Amino acid sequence: MSFEAILFLIIGLILLFIGAEGLIRGSSALALKIGITPLVVGLTVVAFGTSTPELVVSLKAALIGNSSITLGNVVGSNIANIALILGIAALIRPLDVHATVIRKEIPILIAFTILMILLLLDGEVGFIDGLIFVVAIISYTIINITLARKEKNAEVENQFKDGLKNKFNVPLSIIMIVAGLGLLILGANLFVNGAISIAKSIGVSDAIIGLTIVAIGTSLPELITSIVASYKNESDIAVGNVVGSNIFNILGILGITALIITVNAEGINFIDYGVMFFASIILLPLSKTGFKISRFEGAFLVAGYIAYIYYLLP
């Protein structure tokens, strides 16, 4: 394993974070300037912006012929988001789970997870599959925005407004968007090249690298967000962030990538799909125990993730 490959991986990851932050801040500021409400910005730009590292890395990997990294990234990120991220967040402070998340969001995640597995039975995600996913994410987003605006929740509106306060004018916002996108592309190049070099040097497949290093690396924004939210006792943000991110990973990242190039499932097996499905399913009983994910349950999730990584290692 070369020092250069590890350096590429680290620098690429840093650039991905900085680029995503610039893109989110710039696009949020621009959206607010042209009259879009803070709530809608929060449900779209901010929610999807945190997943841009996964999207750019997945696209880059697929375009250079390493689509196993793309699928591994989606499957691995969804497993890591629930087992590792929610597990660590619950260890810091037990997580309260809103009834709406249990009644609506988790079942939607489970349904889309099943859909993804069914569409992968032929060993690939093609253009038609990608189209189904993209139509689903557009519909899901429109429905969420419509319902949120109907609720007219002043508390939520103010929360987003406080979080999106800035002094950026339109030209600066555009510069931040362009710079953010540029850093994302550069970071993705370095990160993917570093990951592939490491995979070759230690003799593991692209799929395993996608399921582990790439998945954990691109999930760090969600990890940081959930840990901070847990520490501040904002459990809804921690749980909602993970569930929403997992839905976008399947529909947005896999869907958009498949529209551009067919994603190959080589190296990803039904144990990986099974772990992803089980991680989604287990959220329901864990959340229903007093509408809370306890420290013990958090430890169970983390232990399960460690066991899965141990299984993956050669």
Side-chain angles (χ1 to χ4, degrees):
M1 189 188 303
S2 71
F3 174 75
E4 185 181 279
I6 296 171
L7 193 62
F8 277 3
L9 201 71
I10 294 170
I11 294 173
L13 201 54
I14 292 169
L15 292 179
L16 283 169
F17 293 157
I18 296 172
E21 186 69 15
L23 178 64
I24 291 168
R25 288 183 180 274
S27 49
S28 298
L30 187 62
L32 292 173
K33 290 289 183 186
I34 62 176
I36 299 174
T37 67
L39 180 57
V40 173
V41 173
L43 288 169
T44 55
V45 175
V46 176
F48 296 162
T50 57
S51 290
T52 47
E54 285 103 321
L55 176 59
V56 178
V57 166
S58 294
L59 277 171
K60 165 67 180 175
L63 289 171
I64 63 173
N66 294 87
S67 60
S68 292
I69 287 181
T70 300
L71 186 57
N73 185 19
V74 170
V75 174
S77 289
N78 279 21
I79 294 169
N81 282 349
I82 294 172
L84 181 65
I85 293 172
L86 277 188
I88 291 174
L91 283 173
I92 294 169
R93 189 190 298 267
L95 301 173
D96 294 318
V97 186
H98 198 279
T100 305
V101 175
I102 297 172
R103 190 174 63 250
K104 187 182 76 170
E105 302 299 331
I106 296 176
I108 287 173
L109 171 59
I110 293 169
F112 286 138
T113 301
I114 294 171
L115 175 63
M116 173 186 164
I117 294 170
L118 289 175
L119 292 179
L120 277 163
L121 289 176
D122 62 356
E124 63 181 30
V125 183
F127 181 84
I128 299 300
D129 301 330
L131 193 60
I132 292 170
F133 285 149
V134 170
V135 169
I137 192 64
I138 292 171
S139 304
Y140 173 77
T141 304
I142 291 171
I143 291 168
N144 259 357
I145 291 171
T146 304
L147 291 175
R149 294 182 76 171
K150 278 183 180 177
E151 286 175 5
K152 295 180 181 177
N153 191 325
E155 184 182 336
V156 174
E157 179 79 5
N158 289 331
Q159 182 185 18
F160 278 119
K161 196 174 290 181
D162 291 340
L164 296 172
K165 278 181 181 175
N166 58 68
K167 299 177 182 178
F168 302 145
N169 54 30
V170 172
L172 183 56
S173 298
I174 294 171
I175 290 170
M176 289 190 72
I177 291 170
V178 173
L181 285 170
L183 289 174
L184 279 168
I185 293 167
L186 178 59
N189 277 326
L190 291 173
F191 189 78
V192 171
N193 289 338
I196 292 170
S197 296
I198 291 171
K200 288 178 178 175
S201 67
I202 61 177
V204 300
S205 68
D206 291 339
I208 299 295
I209 289 294
L211 287 165
T212 54
I213 295 175
V214 177
I216 295 171
T218 55
S219 290
L220 283 177
E222 286 90 345
L223 175 61
I224 294 165
T225 301
S226 295
I227 287 174
V228 170
S230 175
Y231 182 75
K232 291 182 176 180
N233 202 24
E234 295 171 343
S235 299
D236 280 353
I237 295 176
V239 179
N241 173 48
V242 162
V243 175
S245 177
N246 279 17
I247 291 171
F248 183 76
N249 283 347
I250 294 171
L251 303 181
I253 293 172
L254 204 52
I256 292 169
T257 305
L259 285 181
I260 298 168
I261 187 168
T262 298
V263 177
N264 195 294
E266 185 180 351
I268 312 292
N269 59 44
F270 279 99
I271 292 178
D272 303 314
Y273 298 143
V275 173
M276 179 180 68
F277 178 67
F278 179 74
S280 303
I281 285 284
I282 199 71
L283 271 180
L284 272 178
L286 290 183
S287 301
K288 283 185 175 180
T289 52
F291 294 94
K292 188 185 291 286
I293 300 176
S294 68
R295 283 193 174 94
F296 175 79
E297 291 165 337
F300 169 76
L301 288 173
V302 173
Y305 187 74
I306 292 170
Y308 174 64
I309 294 298
Y310 180 78
Y311 152 77
L312 288 176
L313 295 177

